[in-house]
Structures are given as C-alpha cells and as structure tokens.
Amino acid sequence: MDQLFRLFLLKEIHGWTHETALLTYLSHHPELCEQLGLETVPDQSTLWRTWHERFTANLRETIEAAARTILIKAQDAGVTVPGEPERQLPFQRDEEES
C-alpha cells in the first residue's frame, strides 16, 4: 500500500490525469522503481482499481493535498516543478466567491 501511495503521489505531482503517463514514466525510469521497492510495475487496471475502488475519498484527497504542498514548498525554495501548483484549497475559493 505504501508503494501505491507513493506512485499516486508522483502522478499527482506531475499532474498526469491518467495512469498511462505514470506507467510510461516508470518504464523509462527503472532506477526509480527500484528506489520505490517495486519488483514489477503494476498494470494500468491495477492502478485504476486502486485509485477508484481501494483508496477512500479521504485518502485520495490526502494524496492530492500532499502533492500540492510538495509542489508549493519546492517552488518556494526555488526548485523547478512540473507545473504551477494551485495555491488555494478548493474550499477557500468557494468562500471567496460567496
């Protein structure tokens, strides 16, 4: 489960919307798979089922928030990040609009 959490954190950090991009990335970075402790790369259906059926909504939100926090902190420290992180949480936007 820890490894899958890390895989989805990586997916969120890069802003990939589908598991295919994650799988492509992993296939081109075998050293990362080794660092993550993956003996084999999970297939796309396993990743989809994990995200949509095994992970709770709270866990998915936690992964998304952690990725956003990592991106913001890295960017604030001058580290180049894959994309512009959203700096406001969704509930903050809703409050400002009302």
Side-chain angles (χ1 to χ4, degrees):
M1 186 69 97
D2 293 350
Q3 295 161 330
L4 290 169
F5 180 93
R6 290 182 188 113
L7 290 179
F8 283 106
L9 186 59
L10 178 65
K11 178 180 171 284
E12 290 298 319
I13 285 172
H14 281 277
W16 298 321
T17 56
H18 298 286
E19 296 82 12
T20 305
L22 174 60
L23 292 173
T24 300
Y25 186 84
L26 292 172
S27 70
H28 289 98
H29 296 89
E31 70 285 353
L32 177 60
C33 294
E34 187 177 316
Q35 291 171 349
L36 291 171
L38 295 175
E39 293 178 18
T40 60
V41 176
D43 61 27
Q44 186 169 359
S45 65
T46 299
L47 292 174
W48 189 92
R49 272 193 323 276
T50 298
W51 184 257
H52 294 279
E53 296 174 2
R54 292 180 64 198
F55 283 3
T56 64
N58 284 339
L59 182 54
R60 291 190 302 266
E61 289 172 10
T62 298
I63 292 170
E64 291 165 351
R68 187 173 46 252
T69 301
I70 290 167
L71 289 170
I72 291 169
K73 295 294 185 182
Q75 192 175 52
D76 289 349
V79 176
T80 303
V81 297
E84 183 65 31
E86 190 171 333
R87 293 200 172 250
Q88 289 185 313
L89 296 173
F91 68 84
Q92 290 174 316
R93 247 194 333 271
D94 293 343
E95 290 173 358
E96 290 175 2
E97 291 173 0
S98 33

